[in-house]
Amino acid sequence: MYDPAKRKRLAERRAAWEKRTKDGRQERRQAFMTTSGRPIHRLYDPLDTADLDYENQIGWPGEYPFTRGVHPTGYRGRQWTMRMFAGFGSAEETNARFKYLLEHGQTGLSVAFDLPTLYGFDADAPEAAGEFGKCGVCVSSLADMEILLDGLPLGEITTSMTINSPAAIIWAMYIAAAEKRGVPRSQLAGTIQNDILKEYIAQKEFIFPPEPSMRLVVDTIEFGSREMPLWNTISISGYHIREAGATALQELAFTLADGLEYVRWALERGLDIDDFAPRLSFFFNCHNDFFEEVAKFRAARRIWAREMRERFAAKSPRSWWMRFHTQTAGCSLTAQQPELNLVRTTIQALAAVLGGTQSLHTNSWDEALALPSEKAARLALRTQQVIAHESGAVNTIDPLGGSFFVETLTNQMEEECYAYFRQIDDLGGVIPALEAGFLQREIADASYRYQREIDTKERVVVGVNEYVMDEPLEIPILEMDPEGERRERQRLARIRSERDSDRAERSLAALREACGGKENLMPHILEAVNAYCTLGEICGVMRRAFGEYQEPSII
């Protein structure tokens, strides 16, 4: 963009400025860095972006490469979906919380499930003891799903469900519950997380080995692309990778690498990329470093668009879009001086908005101590509403675009992301890389460095290692219905005794046989769900057919 003479003049003036401002002055630290440890220069100027090709690297909103967003009107045309993650105790309790949030302006549902559900166990299984409803809602059968969704406008809102190994089963329960209420599957809109690769990498809530797990993912992609045109059949998630200790760059690179792996598997199944790619979605973390997070989101859109168009030859512009949900960083919340979490969440939410998210969850200030109380959840939702209606951040598209600093960070993120892609490819792809422990070690090393910086006070965390106060906590803690687990066990017993036992047995037998073949399992799972087979029974068939994965030691 600049001729050699102008570049030379700028370089000379920059050098002179650096000399003038450095002589006789002492900066507060020897080095400044982002949350991820990326060194930050004192100043960014036109020389840092002199080689930037505006049309090919930035462009216009709604046009390739979508660095500035996938919609030409940004939030001026449509606000992001305010989708608060919620779930605890019994289906009745979580249903009440959903209605409370909708009454206060939430515009989409997001379901958190408890650990037994996430691992495919019924509430009365020995493995579920002591975990009922602790970190999400318990759903053991279609009857629970019917209660969870009772009175909610399923044909009008979108629903996200954070579920992975049993994703196909929980999704089938959602479909069946909606259809029993007269809402056809073709009208249902929402997302199942269904990202099993990040479970092996970071969250560890896997059940089956990688290959059969990937088969289940592709089954849902295939089923959704044919029968549920409004549903996102996978949310490729960097959130949990970041929560495990990854840097922003690792979150970006490993998430996109997982996404590309799902595309490869779907293509090997024989699916047309323009039939399924438009319904792939993403889920990112938003941490404290404001500008690093904005740059991460902008780089993610550009990389994904290029890979879809150039590597996989997708023809539809919608296949090039990266649409993503964002959640503020749970790992940044502190039990010390928890009121400060309101400030952290606000900064993170604003970064997500300025980065162009399509959907947003804001964490509650009390989540380092317990599941959110009603008031805390309402304040978290109000944070989004203040940004939307009072901050001015929605008035123009990509307001930080063109910033020397932001564009430089975006370019650096992109270059370093491709360096990670090359390392993963050299190891044979995502599954060989995770089986070799490469991705896990990278995250563990980054997590260790970050914690060491806090311990040595190279990095300040307000209220934790600086500005510490010794004061009693005064936070109302959410209390669950102590009778919820007893009711759930009674409901399970009643379902097993009252259902058509012959139909249930036939459906499980048909599923067992199908697991040994290559056909799509979704129709068989739907039949088992409609026969009121339980989550544990259906997962049990798959456990016996596929086996259970044991992670090798990598450290």
Side-chain angles (χ1 to χ4, degrees):
M1 294 177 65
Y2 294 99
D3 61 50
K6 190 167 186 178
R7 285 196 190 208
K8 183 179 180 183
R9 285 197 305 273
L10 284 171
E12 289 171 349
R13 294 193 63 181
R14 177 169 171 167
W17 175 84
E18 287 178 346
K19 186 174 186 305
R20 286 197 308 272
T21 57
K22 190 172 183 180
D23 290 349
R25 296 173 185 261
Q26 184 68 42
E27 293 186 337
R28 292 183 292 109
R29 297 198 294 269
Q30 283 190 334
F32 287 77
M33 59 184 175
T34 67
T35 296
S36 296
R38 179 185 301 280
I40 298 299
H41 302 152
R42 185 193 304 178
L43 182 73
Y44 293 81
D45 64 21
L47 288 175
D48 293 293
T49 57
D51 295 321
L52 198 62
D53 182 336
Y54 181 85
E55 291 189 49
N56 291 318
Q57 290 181 275
I58 302 179
W60 286 267
E63 296 183 13
Y64 184 86
F66 305 106
T67 308
R68 308 198 74 176
V70 297
H71 298 301
T73 55
Y75 300 131
R76 291 165 65 108
R78 180 181 178 181
Q79 249 175 32
W80 65 91
T81 301
M82 297 181 189
R83 191 186 304 281
M84 299 298 292
F85 190 44
F88 61 93
S90 64
E92 292 91 341
E93 291 172 279
T94 297
N95 175 266
R97 175 62 64 89
F98 284 155
K99 290 175 178 175
Y100 174 85
L101 289 168
L102 289 171
E103 287 168 3
H104 284 85
Q106 175 171 289
T107 53
L109 301 179
S110 183
V111 188
F113 297 95
D114 68 2
L115 277 174
T117 305
L118 292 170
Y119 280 105
F121 294 114
D122 292 334
D124 57 359
E127 295 88 348
E131 292 294 338
F132 173 83
K134 292 290 179 64
C135 68
V137 62
C138 171
V139 174
S140 295
S141 74
L142 176 56
D144 292 330
M145 186 66 77
E146 291 169 336
I147 294 168
L148 180 67
L149 303 177
D150 181 55
L152 300 176
L154 301 184
E156 302 169 21
I157 58 172
T158 59
T159 302
S160 173
M161 294 185 286
T162 302
I163 193 81
N164 294 285
S165 280
I169 306 166
I170 294 295
W171 188 33
M173 290 180 183
Y174 187 93
I175 296 167
E179 290 182 333
K180 283 169 70 71
R181 285 179 40 189
V183 183
R185 64 184 66 169
S186 61
Q187 293 181 15
L188 294 174
T191 305
I192 41 171
Q193 191 168 103
N194 205 20
D195 176 5
I196 199 62
L197 291 175
K198 68 97 172 55
E199 295 297 328
Y200 302 112
I201 294 169
Q203 188 164 248
K204 311 304 181 185
E205 287 168 358
F206 45 74
I207 301 175
F208 317 116
E211 284 74 14
S213 294
M214 290 293 284
R215 172 192 173 181
L216 283 167
V217 171
V218 179
D219 282 353
T220 56
I221 292 172
E222 182 179 42
F223 181 84
S225 66
R226 292 176 178 171
E227 301 202 29
M228 300 184 67
L230 304 180
W231 198 277
N232 301 322
T233 47
I234 186 168
S235 175
I236 303 151
S237 177
Y239 186 84
H240 311 86
I241 291 171
R242 191 67 178 279
E243 291 288 292
T247 65
L249 170 64
Q250 290 168 343
E251 178 193 2
L252 173 68
F254 299 168
T255 305
L256 268 59
D258 288 351
L260 298 174
E261 189 71 11
Y262 292 122
V263 171
R264 292 188 192 96
W265 277 68
L267 291 175
E268 289 175 5
R269 174 71 65 89
L271 304 184
D272 185 284
I273 192 163
D274 288 316
D275 287 341
F276 70 84
R279 302 314 305 178
L280 301 178
S281 66
F282 288 81
F283 174 23
F284 287 110
N285 197 300
C286 199
H287 215 292
N288 284 330
D289 198 294
F290 188 86
F291 295 103
E292 182 175 55
E293 297 303 313
V294 172
K296 177 185 73 182
F297 299 134
R298 299 172 85 251
R301 276 192 296 270
R302 190 158 76 202
I303 295 166
W304 188 253
R306 180 186 299 112
E307 294 301 299
M308 288 298 99
R309 190 172 84 163
E310 298 182 11
R311 185 191 299 204
F312 293 110
K315 299 294 189 297
S316 170
R318 289 186 66 91
S319 298
W320 310 336
W321 289 7
M322 167 177 277
R323 298 167 303 111
F324 63 92
H325 171 74
T326 307
Q327 180 173 339
T328 55
C331 61
S332 73
L333 303 179
T334 63
Q336 302 92 329
Q337 300 180 46
E339 299 89 344
L340 295 175
N341 294 328
L342 287 166
V343 182
R344 295 183 177 101
T345 296
T346 302
I347 292 169
Q348 294 162 10
L350 183 58
V353 169
L354 293 181
T357 192
Q358 275 69 59
S359 172
L360 180 61
H361 165 90
T362 31
N363 290 330
S364 300
W365 67 301
D366 55 357
E367 286 191 55
L369 299 163
L371 292 173
S373 66
E374 279 194 353
K375 182 177 180 179
R378 188 178 69 243
L379 278 171
L381 176 59
R382 293 286 184 260
T383 301
Q384 295 195 47
Q385 292 164 339
V386 169
I387 292 172
H389 299 291
E390 299 184 33
S391 72
V394 302
N395 293 342
T396 191
I397 305 167
D398 188 31
L400 296 179
S403 156
F404 303 133
F405 181 37
V406 170
E407 297 297 354
T408 300
L409 282 179
T410 302
N411 290 342
Q412 289 174 345
M413 285 272 192
E414 181 179 9
E415 292 168 6
E416 294 168 21
C417 179
Y418 275 102
Y420 261 127
F421 285 176
R422 289 189 291 273
Q423 287 181 277
I424 292 169
D425 287 343
D426 288 344
L427 290 166
V430 172
I431 293 178
L434 67 88
E435 288 177 337
F438 169 72
L439 305 169
Q440 299 93 315
R441 280 192 295 271
E442 288 290 300
I443 295 170
D445 289 346
S447 179
Y448 173 75
R449 286 193 301 271
Y450 183 79
Q451 186 60 51
R452 186 176 60 190
E453 289 163 2
I454 294 173
D455 293 342
T456 60
K457 294 191 176 181
E458 293 176 68
R459 185 181 300 280
V460 171
V461 179
V462 176
V464 175
N465 62 359
E466 285 285 6
Y467 314 109
V468 178
M469 296 177 65
D470 185 14
E471 61 179 3
L473 292 173
E474 298 178 356
I475 292 183
I477 298 298
L478 176 71
E479 294 184 3
M480 289 177 280
D481 181 357
E483 294 299 306
E485 184 172 6
R486 181 185 60 79
R487 284 200 311 271
E488 174 63 23
R489 287 172 174 266
Q490 289 177 341
R491 184 156 55 234
L492 273 170
R494 186 172 64 252
I495 288 165
R496 293 186 184 116
S497 66
E498 294 178 356
R499 70 190 180 188
D500 182 337
S501 58
D502 288 339
R503 182 185 179 188
E505 286 300 324
R506 286 196 307 271
S507 66
L508 292 175
L511 175 62
R512 188 177 304 114
E513 183 177 355
C515 286
K518 295 185 178 180
E519 63 184 298
N520 193 305
L521 297 179
M522 275 302 299
H524 297 287
I525 294 170
L526 273 163
E527 171 57 25
V529 162
N530 275 302
Y532 286 89
C533 297
T534 68
L535 174 69
E537 289 169 341
I538 298 170
C539 265
V541 168
M542 294 181 177
R543 279 184 161 95
R544 289 186 289 275
F546 300 143
E548 295 186 68
Y549 184 65
Q550 298 295 322
E551 184 176 37
S553 176
I554 60 167
I555 297 176

